[in-house]
Structures are given as structure tokens and as C-alpha cells.
Amino acid sequence: PWYLKDTLSSTKKLPAAKYKIKVGVLDTGSGPHPDLAISGGMNCVLGEDPRDFGDNGDGHGSHVAGIIGANGKPPGGMRGVAPGVTINSYRIFGKNKDGASNFDIIKAIDKAVADGCDILNMSFGGGPADAAVQEAIADAFDKGTISFVATGNEDRSKVSFPASYSLSIAVSAMGRKGFFPDGTAHAET
């Protein structure tokens, strides 16, 4: 994104990570991209090939994975906020589908925990609270996996589910309307 460009493409050497952290990105799939190293994952969408966990063409999952752990090299490569993490991709949004089912979300959470993910990133939300998804997040929490979840994209609306669940860590962004550069996604929304 435009606001991280100078930081992400900096030639400054980042300190070495002391611990190996594995992040599971539950989204539209992630990669392939030259600045992303996706270590594994699963397509959790019912009826699709489980081995096809790359981006479904939407680009959102790759964008999210890039913010987290892009590891490109200067001068043209992009770097995320934690380029030393291991990223696994869990596709929950099918090709040509608008939403994700609770079945696919639960399957992805369970698979990510089984794969040893320390952190789950869920940049989606909306709809009513779902007891089965809450149970999957609680089970992940009990096994030491923390879920970071987007609060929603509906301006100043209430925090959406699953970010509203007490065992999720809700993540949001702030900005002042009318102050984003022309042509950015933020200005358009």
C-alpha cells in the first residue's frame, strides 16, 4: 500500500527474528507472488481442489499475506511488517463466490491449528455470530493459536463477527475521510 511503500522498500537491514512464527492466512488464497513465500496450506472450499491454495484471482489474500510477511529484496521488492514469518494459505473464498461458509472457515481454522500455526489472520467478517465458528476459535485459542480478525469494512459500524467474539483480537485501521491520495482504494471507499 502507498502508506507503507517507503518502509517496505527500505534498504535498512531488519533485525533477525529470534523465534519462528507461523501465520495462517484465511482468505481468498495467497500467491503466487515473487515477494511471498507461501509454505503450505489448503483450499478449504467444499468442492474445490484442496491442493489449490493460491489466490483465487481476487488478490485480497495475497495482499493480506504481503502486509504480514512479504520478503522482497530492494530496490523493487516489497517487505511486510514481519518478513521473517512463515506463511500458510488457507483459501475459504471459492472461485466466483461472494462469501465463505462457516464450514469452510471452521475447516481452515482446524487445519491451520493442526499445521502448527501460531497466529491466524482473518481479514473478513459480517453476518450474525456463529456458535460453530466461535467454538473453532476457542479450540484454537486453547491450543495456543491466536486469531487476529478484521473489525469490518463498513465505515463506523459496530465490530463485525468474528472480530466481535471475545477470544478474537479485533484489528482496525483509521483514517480521515477526504485525505487519502487520489487513485487509492482508501480514497474510493
Side-chain angles (χ1 to χ4, degrees), residues 49-114:
D49 182 354
R51 298 166 297 178
D52 183 14
F53 50 81
D55 203 292
N56 70 5
D58 177 87
H60 190 267
S62 293
H63 175 79
V64 169
I67 291 172
I68 296 167
N71 56 10
K73 305 289 185 246
M78 299 298 285
R79 293 183 70 81
V81 295
V85 301
T86 299
I87 297 178
N88 277 19
S89 171
Y90 300 93
R91 187 191 300 171
I92 59 168
F93 291 93
K95 291 184 179 185
N96 304 315
K97 293 182 182 175
D98 289 332
S101 73
N102 67 344
F103 178 83
D104 297 339
I105 294 168
I106 293 164
K107 186 176 176 183
I109 292 170
D110 291 346
K111 178 64 173 153
V113 170

Side-chain angles (χ1 to χ4, degrees), residues 114-134:
D115 288 347
C117 290
D118 303 291
I119 296 171
L120 302 181
N121 181 91
M122 297 182 248
S123 293
F124 59 86
D130 184 285
V133 172
Q134 287 178 345

